[in-house]
Structure formats: C-alpha cells, structure tokens
Amino acid sequence: MGGLRLALSWLSVLPVPVGRVDERVARHAITAAPLVGALLGALAAAVLGFATLLGAPPLLAGLLAVTALALLTRGMHVDGLADTVDGLGCYGPPERALAVMRDGGAGPFAVVALILVVGVQATSLAELSAEPAAVVLACAAGRAGFLVCCRTGVPAARPEGLGALVAGSQRLPVVLAWWAGLVALGALGAGAGLLGWGAVAGLVLALAALLAVVEHVRRRFGGITGDVLGFATEVGTTLVLAAAASS
C-alpha cells in the first residue's frame, strides 16, 4: 500500500499522504503505476463523455480530455516528453544531452513533439467517446511503460534523481505479467464489444516501441532519467489511443 500511495502522489494531483520513501517503496510505486494510469484514464474518459453529452464537437471534447490528463498529472509527462525529445535532438556526448534536458526550456524539437502528441491524442479521443474502456486501457499502458524503462539491467543516466531511484527495479517477470495482463484485458474487452481490436494491436505496438525507446536512450544518454519515464508514458498512451481510434 505504501507503493500505491506513493504512485498516486507521484503520478497525480491527488493529495495522498506518503511516508518514508526508499528504494523498496519506490519499486512498488513503479509496479503499481498502471493502476494509477487506469484511474487517470477513467477520469479522462468521464471528461470526454461529459463534454460529448453536452454537445461539444468531437475534437473539442478530445482536447478537453487531453487537458484533463495534463492537469491531473501536473503536466509532468508532457514535460518529460519535451525534455527528452530536446535531449535526443541535440548534438554532442551524453553529458551535453543531459544538460539540455536539465535546462527546462522547450526547443524546436520539443514544440513539434508536443503539437504532434497532443494533436494525435485529441484526434484519437474524439473517435473514442463511445469506447471509454479504450481510454482507460491506453492510459494504463502508458504507465506500464515505466516498468519497461525500469526493468532489470537498464541503468540510470545520472547518479541522482528519480531515474537513479527506480532504474533496474522491475524484474522481467513483473514487466511481462503487466503487459500480458493488459493484452488479456484488451482481448476480453474487444470480445465483449467494449472496444475495438485495434486497441489490442496498439498494446503490442506500444510495447515494441517502448523497448526500442529504452535501447535508444541507453545508447544516447547512458540510461534512463525521470524525463525518460514521462516520454515513455506519452509514447505508449498515444500509440494505443491512435490504434484504438483507427480500428
């Protein structure tokens, strides 16, 4: 429960009290992250459905849902997306890339990435107002990206920060269990008509993309950082939403 409370506190604006944070609690928080993602997805789906019910145009409803997700997460994940893309886009050794990521400003790569991701998510959500289960699944899958980034053998890029606290904390069986469970839930939902099979295909695509992302940041930065976790979340969520909307 300490890990779940920490995950809620880290990954949402919910005022959840947490006690002492150590490596064990942080490990459990990363393991519980998909549960928080599912909760955030349910809230975003509620905003999407309510806006649609009030007669908002589909794209506006989708933008409102994306805005709700950003507010519910304090904008952390989109900030991680922007910083990581700027780091990947710069020249120089890993130290230079990490310095760019620390800077906090949004360069041209970050701006383009944010426009693309927000646009794809809003457009996809506009098509999913009748499939709230797909929204919940996509947000859970995005947070399951944390486990891919933090699996055993993946180092931290810096000796301090969130990345150093959680890097290598997730055993491979735990990672596989979460993703297999998400795929199974997606298949059950598709079989019951709650969502399309595109969402299930999106999960497979997202996992493959996240594995590639982790390998690339290992080569470029030397490991993961807290920003990379946010980047991975947005990549996973966006791919599942886009695939679900396309089915």
Coordinates of all heavy atoms in Angstrom, one line a residue, residues 46-148:
A46 N -14.3 10.1 -18.5 CA -15.5 10.8 -17.9 C -15.6 12.2 -18.5 O -16.7 12.7 -18.8 CB -15.4 10.8 -16.4
V47 N -14.5 12.9 -18.5 CA -14.5 14.3 -19.1 C -14.9 14.2 -20.6 O -15.7 15.0 -21.1 CB -13.1 14.9 -19.0 CG1 -13.0 16.2 -19.8 CG2 -12.8 15.2 -17.5
L48 N -14.3 13.3 -21.3 CA -14.7 13.1 -22.7 C -16.2 12.8 -22.9 O -16.8 13.4 -23.7 CB -13.9 11.9 -23.3 CG -14.1 11.6 -24.8 CD1 -13.6 12.7 -25.7 CD2 -13.3 10.3 -25.1
G49 N -16.7 11.9 -22.1 CA -18.1 11.6 -22.2 C -19.0 12.7 -21.8 O -20.0 12.9 -22.5
F50 N -18.6 13.4 -20.8 CA -19.5 14.6 -20.3 C -19.5 15.7 -21.4 O -20.6 16.2 -21.7 CB -18.9 15.1 -19.0 CG -19.8 16.1 -18.4 CD1 -21.1 15.8 -17.9 CD2 -19.4 17.4 -18.1 CE1 -21.9 16.8 -17.4 CE2 -20.2 18.4 -17.6 CZ -21.4 18.1 -17.2
A51 N -18.3 16.0 -21.9 CA -18.3 17.0 -23.0 C -19.1 16.6 -24.2 O -19.8 17.4 -24.8 CB -16.8 17.3 -23.4
T52 N -19.0 15.4 -24.5 CA -19.8 14.9 -25.7 C -21.3 15.0 -25.4 O -22.1 15.4 -26.2 CB -19.4 13.4 -26.0 OG1 -18.0 13.4 -26.3 CG2 -20.2 12.9 -27.2
L53 N -21.7 14.6 -24.2 CA -23.1 14.7 -23.7 C -23.6 16.1 -23.8 O -24.8 16.3 -24.1 CB -23.2 14.1 -22.3 CG -24.6 14.0 -21.8 CD1 -25.5 13.0 -22.6 CD2 -24.6 13.6 -20.3
L54 N -22.7 17.0 -23.5 CA -23.2 18.5 -23.5 C -23.2 19.0 -24.9 O -23.6 20.2 -25.1 CB -22.2 19.3 -22.7 CG -22.3 19.1 -21.2 CD1 -21.3 19.9 -20.4 CD2 -23.7 19.3 -20.6
G55 N -22.8 18.2 -25.9 CA -22.9 18.7 -27.3 C -21.6 19.3 -27.9 O -21.7 19.9 -28.9
A56 N -20.5 19.1 -27.2 CA -19.2 19.6 -27.7 C -18.8 18.9 -28.9 O -19.0 17.7 -29.0 CB -18.1 19.5 -26.6
P57 N -18.2 19.6 -29.9 CA -17.7 18.9 -31.1 C -16.7 17.9 -30.7 O -16.0 18.0 -29.7 CB -17.0 20.0 -31.9 CG -17.7 21.3 -31.4 CD -18.0 21.0 -30.0
P58 N -16.6 16.8 -31.4 CA -15.7 15.7 -31.0 C -14.3 16.1 -30.7 O -13.7 15.7 -29.7 CB -15.8 14.7 -32.2 CG -17.1 15.0 -32.8 CD -17.4 16.4 -32.6
L59 N -13.7 16.9 -31.6 CA -12.3 17.4 -31.4 C -12.2 18.2 -30.2 O -11.2 18.1 -29.4 CB -11.8 18.1 -32.6 CG -10.3 18.5 -32.6 CD1 -9.4 17.3 -32.3 CD2 -9.9 19.2 -33.8
L60 N -13.1 19.1 -29.9 CA -13.1 19.9 -28.7 C -13.2 19.0 -27.4 O -12.4 19.2 -26.4 CB -14.2 20.9 -28.6 CG -14.4 21.7 -27.3 CD1 -13.1 22.5 -27.1 CD2 -15.6 22.6 -27.4
A61 N -14.0 18.0 -27.5 CA -14.1 17.0 -26.4 C -12.8 16.3 -26.2 O -12.4 16.1 -25.0 CB -15.3 16.0 -26.6
G62 N -12.2 15.9 -27.3 CA -10.9 15.3 -27.2 C -9.8 16.2 -26.6 O -9.0 15.7 -25.7
L63 N -9.8 17.4 -26.9 CA -8.8 18.4 -26.4 C -9.1 18.6 -24.9 O -8.1 18.7 -24.1 CB -8.9 19.7 -27.1 CG -8.2 19.8 -28.5 CD1 -8.6 21.0 -29.2 CD2 -6.7 19.7 -28.3
L64 N -10.3 18.6 -24.5 CA -10.7 18.8 -23.1 C -10.2 17.6 -22.3 O -9.7 17.7 -21.1 CB -12.2 18.9 -22.9 CG -12.7 20.3 -23.4 CD1 -14.3 20.3 -23.3 CD2 -12.2 21.4 -22.6
A65 N -10.3 16.4 -22.9 CA -9.8 15.2 -22.2 C -8.3 15.2 -22.0 O -7.7 14.8 -21.0 CB -10.3 13.9 -22.9
V66 N -7.6 15.6 -23.1 CA -6.1 15.7 -23.0 C -5.7 16.8 -22.0 O -4.8 16.6 -21.2 CB -5.6 16.1 -24.4 CG1 -4.1 16.4 -24.3 CG2 -5.8 15.0 -25.4
T67 N -6.4 17.9 -21.9 CA -6.2 18.9 -20.9 C -6.4 18.4 -19.5 O -5.6 18.6 -18.6 CB -7.1 20.1 -21.2 OG1 -6.9 20.6 -22.5 CG2 -6.8 21.2 -20.1
A68 N -7.4 17.6 -19.4 CA -7.7 17.0 -18.0 C -6.6 16.1 -17.6 O -6.1 16.1 -16.5 CB -9.0 16.2 -18.1
L69 N -6.0 15.3 -18.5 CA -4.9 14.4 -18.2 C -3.7 15.2 -17.8 O -3.0 14.9 -16.9 CB -4.6 13.5 -19.4 CG -5.5 12.3 -19.6 CD1 -5.1 11.6 -20.9 CD2 -5.3 11.3 -18.4
A70 N -3.4 16.3 -18.5 CA -2.3 17.2 -18.2 C -2.4 17.8 -16.8 O -1.5 17.8 -16.0 CB -2.1 18.2 -19.3
L71 N -3.6 18.2 -16.5 CA -3.9 18.8 -15.2 C -3.8 17.8 -14.1 O -3.2 18.0 -13.0 CB -5.2 19.5 -15.2 CG -5.4 20.7 -16.1 CD1 -6.8 21.2 -16.1 CD2 -4.5 21.9 -15.6
L72 N -4.3 16.6 -14.3 CA -4.3 15.6 -13.3 C -2.9 15.0 -13.0 O -2.7 14.4 -12.0 CB -5.2 14.4 -13.8 CG -6.7 14.7 -13.8 CD1 -7.5 13.6 -14.5 CD2 -7.2 14.7 -12.3
T73 N -2.0 15.2 -14.0 CA -0.6 14.7 -13.8 C 0.4 15.9 -13.5 O 1.6 15.7 -13.6 CB -0.2 13.9 -15.0 OG1 -0.2 14.7 -16.1 CG2 -1.1 12.7 -15.1
R74 N -0.1 17.1 -13.3 CA 0.7 18.3 -13.1 C 1.6 18.6 -14.4 O 2.6 19.3 -14.3 CB 1.6 18.1 -11.9 CG 1.0 17.8 -10.6 CD 2.0 17.8 -9.5 NE 1.4 17.3 -8.2 CZ 1.5 16.0 -7.9 NH1 2.1 15.2 -8.7 NH2 1.0 15.6 -6.7
G75 N 1.2 18.0 -15.5 CA 2.0 18.3 -16.7 C 3.3 17.6 -16.7 O 4.2 17.8 -17.6
M76 N 3.6 16.7 -15.8 CA 4.9 16.0 -15.6 C 5.3 15.2 -16.9 O 6.4 15.3 -17.3 CB 4.9 15.1 -14.4 CG 5.0 15.7 -13.1 SD 5.4 14.5 -11.8 CE 4.1 13.3 -12.1
H77 N 4.3 14.5 -17.4 CA 4.6 13.6 -18.5 C 4.9 14.3 -19.8 O 5.8 14.0 -20.5 CB 3.5 12.5 -18.7 CG 3.2 11.7 -17.5 ND1 4.2 11.4 -16.6 CD2 2.1 11.3 -17.0 CE1 3.7 10.7 -15.6 NE2 2.4 10.6 -15.8
V78 N 4.1 15.4 -20.1 CA 4.4 16.2 -21.3 C 5.7 16.9 -21.1 O 6.4 17.2 -22.1 CB 3.2 17.1 -21.6 CG1 2.0 16.3 -22.1 CG2 2.8 18.0 -20.4
D79 N 6.0 17.3 -19.9 CA 7.3 18.0 -19.6 C 8.5 17.0 -19.9 O 9.5 17.4 -20.5 CB 7.4 18.5 -18.2 CG 8.7 19.2 -17.9 OD1 9.0 20.2 -18.5 OD2 9.5 18.6 -17.1
G80 N 8.3 15.8 -19.4 CA 9.3 14.7 -19.7 C 9.4 14.5 -21.2 O 10.5 14.3 -21.7
L81 N 8.3 14.4 -21.9 CA 8.3 14.3 -23.4 C 9.2 15.4 -24.0 O 10.1 15.1 -24.8 CB 6.9 14.3 -23.9 CG 6.7 14.4 -25.4 CD1 7.2 13.1 -26.1 CD2 5.3 14.8 -25.8
A82 N 8.9 16.6 -23.6 CA 9.6 17.8 -24.2 C 11.1 17.7 -24.0 O 11.9 17.9 -24.9 CB 8.9 19.1 -23.7
D83 N 11.4 17.5 -22.7 CA 12.8 17.5 -22.3 C 13.6 16.4 -23.0 O 14.7 16.5 -23.5 CB 13.0 17.4 -20.8 CG 12.6 18.7 -20.1 OD1 12.5 19.7 -20.8 OD2 12.4 18.6 -18.9
T84 N 13.0 15.2 -23.1 CA 13.7 14.0 -23.7 C 13.8 14.2 -25.2 O 14.9 13.9 -25.7 CB 12.9 12.7 -23.4 OG1 12.7 12.6 -22.0 CG2 13.6 11.5 -24.0
V85 N 12.8 14.7 -25.9 CA 13.0 15.0 -27.3 C 14.1 16.0 -27.6 O 14.9 15.9 -28.5 CB 11.6 15.4 -27.9 CG1 11.8 15.9 -29.3 CG2 10.6 14.3 -27.9
D86 N 14.1 17.1 -26.8 CA 15.2 18.0 -26.9 C 16.6 17.4 -26.7 O 17.5 17.7 -27.4 CB 15.0 19.2 -25.9 CG 14.1 20.3 -26.5 OD1 13.9 20.3 -27.7 OD2 13.7 21.1 -25.7
G87 N 16.7 16.5 -25.7 CA 17.9 15.8 -25.4 C 18.3 14.9 -26.6 O 19.5 14.8 -27.0
L88 N 17.3 14.2 -27.1 CA 17.6 13.3 -28.3 C 18.0 14.1 -29.5 O 18.7 13.6 -30.4 CB 16.4 12.4 -28.5 CG 16.1 11.4 -27.5 CD1 14.7 10.7 -27.8 CD2 17.2 10.3 -27.4
G89 N 17.5 15.3 -29.6 CA 17.7 16.1 -30.8 C 19.0 16.9 -30.9 O 19.3 17.4 -31.9
C90 N 19.7 17.0 -29.7 CA 20.9 17.8 -29.7 C 22.1 17.0 -30.1 O 22.1 15.8 -30.1 CB 21.1 18.4 -28.3 SG 21.7 17.3 -27.1
Y91 N 23.2 17.7 -30.5 CA 24.4 17.1 -30.8 C 25.3 17.0 -29.5 O 25.0 17.7 -28.5 CB 25.2 17.9 -31.9 CG 24.5 17.9 -33.2 CD1 23.8 19.0 -33.7 CD2 24.7 16.8 -34.0 CE1 23.2 18.9 -34.9 CE2 24.1 16.7 -35.3 CZ 23.3 17.8 -35.7 OH 22.7 17.8 -36.9
G92 N 26.3 16.2 -29.6 CA 27.3 16.1 -28.5 C 27.2 14.8 -27.7 O 26.3 14.0 -28.0
P93 N 28.0 14.7 -26.7 CA 28.1 13.5 -25.9 C 26.9 13.4 -25.0 O 26.1 14.3 -24.9 CB 29.4 13.6 -25.1 CG 29.6 15.1 -25.0 CD 29.1 15.7 -26.3
P94 N 26.7 12.3 -24.3 CA 25.6 12.1 -23.3 C 25.5 13.3 -22.3 O 24.4 13.7 -21.9 CB 25.8 10.8 -22.6 CG 26.6 10.0 -23.6 CD 27.5 11.0 -24.4
E95 N 26.7 13.8 -21.8 CA 26.7 14.8 -20.9 C 26.0 16.1 -21.4 O 25.3 16.8 -20.7 CB 28.1 15.2 -20.4 CG 28.8 14.1 -19.7 CD 29.3 12.9 -20.6 OE1 29.3 13.1 -21.8 OE2 29.5 11.8 -20.0
R96 N 26.2 16.4 -22.7 CA 25.6 17.5 -23.3 C 24.1 17.3 -23.4 O 23.3 18.2 -23.1 CB 26.2 17.7 -24.7 CG 25.5 18.7 -25.6 CD 25.4 20.1 -25.1 NE 24.7 20.9 -26.1 CZ 24.2 22.1 -25.7 NH1 24.3 22.6 -24.5 NH2 23.6 22.9 -26.6
A97 N 23.7 16.1 -23.8 CA 22.2 15.8 -23.9 C 21.5 16.0 -22.6 O 20.4 16.5 -22.5 CB 22.0 14.5 -24.5
L98 N 22.2 15.4 -21.5 CA 21.6 15.5 -20.2 C 21.5 17.0 -19.7 O 20.5 17.3 -19.0 CB 22.4 14.7 -19.2 CG 22.3 13.2 -19.5 CD1 23.3 12.4 -18.6 CD2 20.9 12.6 -19.2
A99 N 22.5 17.8 -20.1 CA 22.4 19.2 -19.7 C 21.3 19.9 -20.4 O 20.6 20.8 -19.8 CB 23.8 19.9 -20.1
V100 N 21.1 19.6 -21.7 CA 19.9 20.2 -22.4 C 18.6 19.8 -21.7 O 17.7 20.6 -21.6 CB 20.0 19.7 -23.9 CG1 18.7 20.1 -24.6 CG2 21.1 20.4 -24.6
M101 N 18.5 18.5 -21.3 CA 17.3 18.1 -20.6 C 17.1 18.8 -19.3 O 16.0 19.1 -18.9 CB 17.3 16.6 -20.4 CG 17.3 15.8 -21.7 SD 17.7 14.0 -21.5 CE 16.3 13.5 -20.6
R102 N 18.1 19.1 -18.6 CA 18.0 19.8 -17.3 C 17.6 21.2 -17.5 O 17.1 21.8 -16.6 CB 19.4 19.8 -16.6 CG 19.7 18.5 -15.8 CD 21.0 18.7 -15.1 NE 21.4 17.6 -14.4 CZ 21.1 17.3 -13.1 NH1 20.2 18.1 -12.5 NH2 21.5 16.2 -12.5
D103 N 17.9 21.8 -18.7 CA 17.7 23.2 -18.9 C 16.3 23.7 -18.6 O 16.0 24.7 -18.1 CB 18.1 23.6 -20.3 CG 17.9 25.1 -20.6 OD1 18.6 25.9 -20.0 OD2 17.0 25.4 -21.4
G104 N 15.3 22.8 -19.0 CA 13.9 23.1 -18.7 C 13.2 23.9 -19.8 O 11.9 24.0 -19.8
G105 N 13.9 24.5 -20.7 CA 13.3 25.3 -21.8 C 12.8 24.3 -22.9 O 13.2 23.2 -23.0
A106 N 11.9 24.8 -23.7 CA 11.3 24.0 -24.8 C 11.9 24.4 -26.1 O 11.7 25.6 -26.6 CB 9.8 24.1 -24.9
G107 N 12.8 23.6 -26.7 CA 13.3 23.9 -28.0 C 12.4 23.5 -29.1 O 11.3 23.0 -28.9
P108 N 12.9 23.7 -30.4 CA 12.0 23.4 -31.5 C 11.6 21.9 -31.6 O 10.4 21.6 -32.0 CB 12.9 23.8 -32.7 CG 14.3 23.8 -32.2 CD 14.2 24.2 -30.8
F109 N 12.5 21.0 -31.3 CA 12.1 19.6 -31.3 C 10.9 19.3 -30.3 O 10.0 18.6 -30.6 CB 13.3 18.7 -30.9 CG 14.3 18.6 -32.0 CD1 15.5 19.2 -31.9 CD2 14.0 17.9 -33.2 CE1 16.5 19.1 -32.9 CE2 15.0 17.8 -34.2 CZ 16.2 18.4 -34.1
A110 N 11.1 19.9 -29.1 CA 10.0 19.8 -28.1 C 8.7 20.3 -28.5 O 7.6 19.7 -28.3 CB 10.5 20.4 -26.8
V111 N 8.7 21.5 -29.1 CA 7.5 22.1 -29.6 C 6.8 21.2 -30.6 O 5.6 21.0 -30.5 CB 7.7 23.5 -30.1 CG1 6.5 24.1 -30.8 CG2 8.3 24.4 -29.0
V112 N 7.5 20.8 -31.6 CA 6.9 19.9 -32.6 C 6.4 18.6 -32.0 O 5.3 18.2 -32.3 CB 8.0 19.6 -33.7 CG1 7.4 18.5 -34.7 CG2 8.4 20.8 -34.5
A113 N 7.1 18.0 -31.1 CA 6.7 16.8 -30.4 C 5.4 17.0 -29.6 O 4.5 16.2 -29.7 CB 7.8 16.2 -29.5
L114 N 5.3 18.1 -28.9 CA 4.1 18.4 -28.1 C 2.9 18.6 -29.0 O 1.8 18.1 -28.7 CB 4.4 19.6 -27.2 CG 5.3 19.4 -26.1 CD1 5.7 20.8 -25.4 CD2 4.7 18.5 -25.0
I115 N 3.1 19.3 -30.1 CA 2.0 19.6 -31.0 C 1.5 18.2 -31.6 O 0.3 18.0 -31.7 CB 2.4 20.5 -32.1 CG1 2.6 21.9 -31.5 CG2 1.3 20.6 -33.2 CD1 3.2 22.9 -32.5
L116 N 2.5 17.4 -32.0 CA 2.1 16.1 -32.6 C 1.4 15.2 -31.6 O 0.3 14.6 -31.9 CB 3.4 15.4 -33.1 CG 3.2 14.1 -33.8 CD1 2.3 14.2 -35.0 CD2 4.6 13.4 -34.1
V117 N 1.9 15.1 -30.4 CA 1.3 14.2 -29.4 C 0.0 14.7 -29.0 O -1.0 13.9 -28.9 CB 2.3 14.0 -28.2 CG1 1.6 13.3 -27.1 CG2 3.5 13.2 -28.6
V118 N -0.1 15.9 -28.7 CA -1.4 16.5 -28.3 C -2.5 16.4 -29.4 O -3.6 16.0 -29.2 CB -1.3 17.9 -27.8 CG1 -2.7 18.6 -27.6 CG2 -0.5 18.0 -26.5
G119 N -2.0 16.6 -30.6 CA -2.9 16.5 -31.8 C -3.4 15.1 -32.0 O -4.6 14.9 -32.2
V120 N -2.5 14.1 -31.9 CA -2.9 12.7 -32.2 C -3.8 12.3 -31.0 O -4.8 11.6 -31.3 CB -1.6 11.9 -32.3 CG1 -2.0 10.4 -32.3 CG2 -0.8 12.2 -33.5
Q121 N -3.4 12.6 -29.8 CA -4.3 12.2 -28.7 C -5.7 12.8 -28.7 O -6.7 12.0 -28.6 CB -3.6 12.5 -27.3 CG -2.4 11.7 -27.0 CD -1.8 12.0 -25.6 OE1 -2.4 12.7 -24.9 NE2 -0.7 11.3 -25.3
A122 N -5.7 14.0 -29.0 CA -7.1 14.7 -29.1 C -7.9 14.1 -30.2 O -9.1 13.9 -30.1 CB -6.9 16.2 -29.2
T123 N -7.3 14.0 -31.4 CA -8.0 13.4 -32.5 C -8.5 12.0 -32.3 O -9.6 11.6 -32.6 CB -7.1 13.5 -33.8 OG1 -6.6 14.8 -34.0 CG2 -7.9 13.0 -35.0
S124 N -7.6 11.2 -31.6 CA -8.0 9.8 -31.3 C -9.1 9.8 -30.3 O -10.1 9.0 -30.4 CB -6.7 9.1 -30.8 OG -5.7 9.1 -31.7
L125 N -9.0 10.6 -29.3 CA -10.0 10.6 -28.2 C -11.4 11.1 -28.8 O -12.4 10.6 -28.4 CB -9.6 11.6 -27.1 CG -8.5 11.0 -26.2 CD1 -7.9 12.1 -25.3 CD2 -9.1 9.9 -25.3
A126 N -11.3 11.9 -29.8 CA -12.5 12.4 -30.5 C -13.3 11.2 -31.1 O -14.5 11.3 -31.2 CB -12.2 13.4 -31.5
E127 N -12.6 10.2 -31.5 CA -13.2 9.0 -32.1 C -13.6 7.9 -31.0 O -14.2 6.9 -31.4 CB -12.2 8.4 -33.1 CG -11.9 9.3 -34.2 CD -13.1 9.6 -35.1 OE1 -13.9 8.7 -35.3 OE2 -13.2 10.8 -35.6
L128 N -13.2 8.2 -29.8 CA -13.4 7.1 -28.8 C -14.4 7.5 -27.7 O -14.4 6.9 -26.6 CB -12.0 6.8 -28.1 CG -11.0 6.2 -29.0 CD1 -9.6 6.1 -28.3 CD2 -11.4 4.8 -29.5
S129 N -15.2 8.5 -27.9 CA -16.2 8.9 -26.9 C -17.1 7.7 -26.5 O -17.6 7.7 -25.4 CB -17.0 10.1 -27.4 OG -17.7 9.8 -28.5
A130 N -17.4 6.8 -27.4 CA -18.2 5.7 -27.1 C -17.5 4.4 -26.6 O -18.1 3.4 -26.4 CB -19.0 5.3 -28.4
E131 N -16.1 4.6 -26.5 CA -15.3 3.5 -26.0 C -14.4 3.9 -24.9 O -13.2 4.0 -25.0 CB -14.4 3.0 -27.2 CG -15.2 2.4 -28.3 CD -14.3 1.8 -29.4 OE1 -13.1 1.5 -29.1 OE2 -14.7 1.6 -30.5
P132 N -15.0 4.2 -23.7 CA -14.2 4.6 -22.6 C -13.2 3.6 -22.1 O -12.1 3.9 -21.6 CB -15.3 4.9 -21.5 CG -16.5 4.1 -21.9 CD -16.5 4.2 -23.4
A133 N -13.5 2.3 -22.4 CA -12.6 1.3 -22.0 C -11.2 1.4 -22.7 O -10.2 1.1 -22.1 CB -13.2 -0.1 -22.3
A134 N -11.3 1.9 -24.0 CA -10.1 2.1 -24.7 C -9.2 3.2 -24.1 O -8.0 3.1 -24.1 CB -10.4 2.4 -26.2
V135 N -9.8 4.2 -23.6 CA -9.1 5.3 -23.0 C -8.4 4.8 -21.7 O -7.3 5.1 -21.4 CB -10.1 6.5 -22.7 CG1 -9.3 7.7 -22.1 CG2 -10.8 6.9 -24.0
V136 N -9.2 4.1 -20.9 CA -8.6 3.5 -19.7 C -7.4 2.6 -20.0 O -6.4 2.7 -19.3 CB -9.7 2.7 -18.9 CG1 -9.1 2.1 -17.7 CG2 -10.8 3.7 -18.4
L137 N -7.6 1.8 -21.0 CA -6.5 0.8 -21.3 C -5.3 1.6 -21.8 O -4.1 1.2 -21.5 CB -7.0 -0.1 -22.4 CG -6.1 -1.3 -22.8 CD1 -6.0 -2.3 -21.6 CD2 -6.7 -2.0 -24.0
A138 N -5.5 2.6 -22.6 CA -4.4 3.4 -23.2 C -3.6 4.1 -22.1 O -2.3 4.1 -22.1 CB -4.9 4.4 -24.2
C139 N -4.3 4.7 -21.1 CA -3.6 5.3 -20.0 C -2.8 4.4 -19.1 O -1.8 4.6 -18.6 CB -4.5 6.2 -19.2 SG -5.2 7.6 -20.1
A140 N -3.4 3.2 -18.9 CA -2.8 2.2 -18.1 C -1.5 1.7 -18.8 O -0.5 1.5 -18.2 CB -3.7 1.0 -17.8
A141 N -1.6 1.5 -20.1 CA -0.5 1.0 -20.9 C 0.7 2.1 -20.9 O 1.8 1.7 -20.8 CB -0.9 0.8 -22.4
G142 N 0.3 3.4 -20.9 CA 1.3 4.4 -20.9 C 2.1 4.3 -19.6 O 3.3 4.4 -19.6
R143 N 1.4 4.1 -18.5 CA 2.1 4.0 -17.2 C 2.9 2.6 -17.1 O 3.8 2.5 -16.3 CB 1.2 4.2 -16.0 CG 0.9 5.6 -15.7 CD 0.2 6.3 -16.8 NE 0.0 7.7 -16.6 CZ -0.6 8.5 -17.5 NH1 -1.1 8.0 -18.7 NH2 -0.8 9.8 -17.3
A144 N 2.4 1.6 -17.8 CA 3.1 0.3 -17.8 C 4.5 0.5 -18.5 O 5.4 -0.3 -18.4 CB 2.3 -0.7 -18.5
G145 N 4.6 1.6 -19.3 CA 5.9 1.9 -19.9 C 6.9 2.2 -18.9 O 8.1 2.0 -19.1
F146 N 6.5 2.7 -17.7 CA 7.5 2.8 -16.6 C 8.2 1.5 -16.3 O 9.5 1.5 -16.1 CB 6.8 3.3 -15.3 CG 6.3 4.7 -15.3 CD1 5.6 5.2 -14.2 CD2 6.6 5.6 -16.4 CE1 5.1 6.5 -14.2 CE2 6.1 6.9 -16.4 CZ 5.4 7.3 -15.3
L147 N 7.5 0.4 -16.3 CA 8.1 -0.9 -16.0 C 9.1 -1.3 -17.0 O 10.1 -1.9 -16.7 CB 7.0 -1.9 -15.8 CG 6.2 -1.9 -14.5 CD1 5.1 -0.9 -14.5 CD2 5.7 -3.3 -14.1
V148 N 8.8 -1.0 -18.3 CA 9.7 -1.3 -19.4 C 11.0 -0.5 -19.2 O 12.1 -1.1 -19.3 CB 9.1 -1.0 -20.7 CG1 10.1 -1.3 -21.9 CG2 7.8 -1.8 -20.9

